[in-house]
Amino acid sequence: MGTKKEVDDRFKKFGTVSFTSITKTNDFIDYLENGKVMATKCQDCGKIFFPPRSDCYQCLTSNMEWNEISGPGKLVTYSKLEYAPIGFQDDVPYRIALLDYGDYKVFGRIAKDVPEEDIKIGMKLKTAVNQLPNGQLNYVFEKV
Ligand SMILES: [Zn+2]
C-alpha cells in the first residue's frame, strides 16, 4: 500500500526533527508532564501545527499559541514496524499511525496494549501522554 510508505517516511522525518524549530521546547515538555499533548496554532490564520512550530509558513509570522490535542482523532492509516533505527531496536515491533483531527493530523505510535485485532482504519483513537520505563515522556494513541 502506498499510504504505508508515506507514513513510514514522514515518521522518520518526525523522529529527527526533534523540535529544533521551536524556541519553547521546554513548554512542550512541561505540558506533557501535566498530561497534555500540545500543538501550536497560528493566531493569524488559525492553522495548527504538529509537531509544534514557532512560525507559520503560510503567514511568515511567529504569532503562535499553544493548542491542546484532545479528544478522539480518526485513524487514517497505520503500519507495523519490525525493525527500527539505531536507538529504537528494543521497541520493535511497534505500530506507527496517523490520526486525522480534521484541521490537522498527528503522527505517533499506537499504544502497545491496543490489540492488533482491534485496530481498524477509521476507528477513533485519542492522543495521550505516556511515560516510558526510563522516565522519559512521549505520547501514544489509545482507545477512546
Ligand atoms: Zn498563519
Side-chain angles (χ1 to χ4, degrees):
M1 276 171 46
T3 51
K4 284 190 176 181
K5 178 79 164 56
E6 183 188 346
V7 171
D8 284 356
D9 288 344
R10 295 175 83 172
F11 185 80
K12 273 182 214 154
K13 193 173 165 189
F14 167 65
T16 53
V17 165
S18 72
F19 304 112
T20 49
S21 65
I22 57 170
T23 54
K24 293 183 174 177
T25 308
N26 290 336
D27 286 354
F28 181 77
I29 302 303
D30 283 349
Y31 280 120
L32 282 183
E33 286 177 337
N34 287 301
K36 292 178 178 181
V37 184
M38 304 298 276
T40 50
K41 182 177 182 180
C42 175
Q43 296 188 67
D44 294 324
C45 70
K47 189 167 174 56
I48 295 175
F49 295 95
F50 192 86
R53 294 171 53 96
S54 60
D55 50 8
C56 177
Y57 61 74
Q58 269 182 193
C59 305
L60 304 178
T61 57
S62 301
N63 195 15
M64 290 290 190
E65 63 182 0
W66 289 101
N67 191 77
E68 187 180 1
I69 297 171
S70 62
K74 199 171 81 174
L75 180 62
V76 179
T77 185
Y78 78 101
S79 181
K80 190 173 179 178
L81 293 195
E82 304 286 353
Y83 62 93
I86 290 170
F88 293 91
Q89 298 98 325
D90 294 342
D91 289 349
V92 291
Y94 59 83
R95 296 155 305 192
I96 57 168
L98 178 62
L99 293 195
D100 186 350
Y101 273 86
D103 294 338
Y104 58 98
K105 294 183 174 66
V106 178
F107 294 97
R109 293 187 190 189
I110 298 175
K112 284 191 187 297
D113 62 1
V114 178
E116 192 78 26
E117 60 270 21
D118 286 2
I119 301 174
K120 305 269 191 302
I121 299 301
M123 76 185 292
K124 306 273 191 199
L125 290 169
K126 63 179 178 181
T127 304
V129 176
N130 176 52
Q131 186 157 26
L132 301 170
N134 64 4
Q136 294 283 105
L137 295 167
N138 67 359
Y139 62 89
V140 292
F141 300 146
E142 295 177 343
K143 291 174 82 170
V144 176

